[in-house]
Amino acid sequence: MRAWINRQSLLVDYTLSALARHGGRNLGLFVVYSGIVFVLASTMLFTDALRREARLLLAHSPEVLLQKLKAGRHAYLTREDLESLGQVRGVSRVEGRRWGYFYDPVAGANYTLMAPGVDPPDRGRIDVGDGVARARGLAVGDTLSLRSAAGGLFVLVVGRVFSAESSLVAADLVLMHPTDWEAFFQLPGDVFTDAAFTVDNPQEVRNVARKIGERLPEARVILREELLRTYASLFDWREGILLALAGIAAAAFAILAWNKASGLSADERREIGILKAIGWDTRAVLTMKMWEGALISGGAFAVGFLAAWVHVFHLEAALIVPVLEGWSVLYPRFVLTPAVDAVSLLTLGLLTVLPYTLATLVPAWRAAVTDPDQMMRGTE
Amino acid sequence: MIFQKSVLALLFASAAGALGALAAGPHALAVWRHWDLETGRARQLRLERRSSLVSTGMSLLLVVQAVTLLLFVFNADRMASQFVGAMCAVGTLQVDGFGFPALIARIAVFFGSGIWLAMNAVDGRCRDYPLTRPKSLLLLALIPLLALACGLELAYFRGLRPEVITSCCGSLFSSGSPAVTGDLAAWPVERAMPVTFVVLGGAACLSAWVARHGRGGLALGMAGLLAFVVALAGVVAFVSLYVYEDPRHHCPFCLLKAEYGYRGYAFYVALFAATAAALGAGALAPFAGRGRSPASAARLQSATRALGGVALGGFLLVLLMTAWQITASGLTLFPHG
């Protein structure tokens, strides 16, 4: 074993000095390779971080949500509905929620207007998300005029602007007093947009949801785990599509690598010829060339991955955001938590290092098996 | 659900393995038919030159196959959250009918690759290449296996539909299940435990003997295979119960979950490595006395010793981990013992 390690370390030593001698030749390849790793790694790091954010966010959402439907369209729940649903065995709490969408032509954006059941703002005052504040240039104490469902102007005073940390959930949010909400949307006091259920026993959530659905057969019942599953599938799919597209670039790169590795320079030919003439066998030359590929791969992988890390976690993934996040006027600004898992690294390695190594194997072997005199004369 | 990064990487690795083996097939066949180190004919020289390419390329691809077995299982466990009814890798593997066949084919590829890599490593160190022909034959046998594994994996991933309601491990690994997994779960602990310890202990003793003397590889290969099967049966029958501290939870896949400290990975990596080393020693055994030169014979013996050492380390780790699970668990299955 020690002999093997000694042999490999000497080969690495020789390969490094050879690379230093022919540095310029591999520079272009190295840059393109790092670029491919950068795109793939940015995609993976970003979607992994988004998945994690979604998981953390939904961990605090209610286990079951219910929306009433009439003829397949959304309908309001009544207080009687909520009382009936609250009696379902397994439901520890049911909360009727009141919210609606409002299109603001000034900002060209949709707001979510909500009347919280607990601790609402005072009458005539609102709390706004940082996206709304940004779109309308609002600060605490400013007034916001919105055209209500009745057609009149509704003037509200900003009592609080939510911090940027809550942007992921609150960018488009406007919280108001329930009475203001009813007056704004011209709705009676005992209707609710949807209902949120708390179920204490996680093993029973599915059964409880089934029983809730039986009480209001036309309603749509949404489970938290379904939301999580949908988010995971959505991010996985977007990530996969981008990776598949980047895979085409990786394939083009593999062809470039093959081409590059096939065309040895006169210096390299002479060097291999001399090595073989002084007693290196085919396997040693092949191993040396494989080490050359591994060192280029490893270097490009490290550079590309580090650049992707900086891009995603320090530069807000500016280059890939439009493809992966979706689009909205009031898009939340948020900072992702840096993290990486072993599976992502292994997957990235498989998708980048393996194609390169395979693409350079045959040219490396061709160089290794050529006769030394042909190599030195330059006839091969 | 093909458009997922791990799925894409797994399919790429499988396809590369199958295509690489297929491309190497004609060379393997030519080596099997015409390899003769005594002659200096042009064909022999061509075969020798090409052998270095095939052996390097296949080594790379087969190492990747071995590593991706781990990724395949981890991915199945991670995807469980996307299917209704799935609690661990079992649920994901049961979403369509190709999950478990794909896993079994991958395990077969893992052991086939392990044997080929062991033979290739020894062959490359001997000046007279005593294993070149047998390893070519093994490569020819691996081609359909790699193609099958790739095809099953593709069918499995294509069949993954998020709307499918799958069943969890509780239904497959319970004593009431009609499948063989049900029989394993129903294996009485008082019988399963001594049998597992005796077989694993026997395999470890035999590994120690092989590691010391460099002989007996064939027996170790058979013992290793038996120990592998018995250890897996033991996991279902009783190890899992002690880990989960639940006398009804027999799943061998939940061991891989974070809530049990990923301890299944340590257990299975040790078991798979030990079995692969034992099988490798078994594969070298028929050629132990046939080295063309004393130097080759000595290399074969030293490789058998090294493989015996790896098998010994692996089986000892499996034994220690099993004993530790039992003693550290809060579950008591024998209150009067």
Side-chain angles (χ1 to χ4, degrees), chain A residues 44 46-47 74 119 133 135 145 160 171 195 240-241 253 292 302-303 308 336 347 360-361:
Chain A
M44 282 186 191
F46 187 67
T47 40
H74 177 256
D119 200 15
S145 303
R160 181 177 158 207
I241 291 287
F253 167 72
E292 185 181 299
V303 168
L336 295 166
T347 307
T360 50
L361 180 64

Side-chain angles (χ1 to χ4, degrees), chain A residues 151-228:
Chain A
L153 268 186
F154 222 80
V155 182
L156 299 150
V157 179
V158 177
R160 181 177 158 207
V161 176
F162 294 119
S163 64
E165 282 79 50
S166 64
S167 183
L168 204 56
V169 279
D172 65 344
L173 193 64
V174 177
L175 293 185
M176 52 175 58
H177 192 273
T179 315
D180 289 341
W181 188 85
E182 288 154 20
F184 187 85
F185 284 116
Q186 297 283 291
L187 285 167
D190 62 345
V191 298
F192 301 90
T193 317
D194 61 12
F197 297 82
T198 308
V199 181
D200 283 340
N201 183 357
Q203 307 289 330
E204 283 299 312
V205 170
R206 202 154 266 284
N207 281 334
V208 172
R210 185 177 47 78
K211 284 189 233 167
I212 291 170
E214 283 167 3
R215 293 242 169 166
L216 281 180
E218 235 193 325
R220 179 191 292 146
V221 183
I222 303 161
L223 273 67
R224 180 171 64 194
E225 61 172 276
E226 284 172 355
L227 281 175
L228 273 168

Side-chain angles (χ1 to χ4, degrees), chain A residues 48 229 236 343-344 365 371, chain B residues 3 5 49 56 74 82 84:
Chain A
D48 278 350
R229 202 172 296 127
D236 281 354
V343 174
S344 290
W365 169 75
D371 287 335
Chain B
F3 285 114
K5 67 176 176 213
R49 284 181 167 182
T56 312
F74 189 93
Q82 297 180 30
V84 177

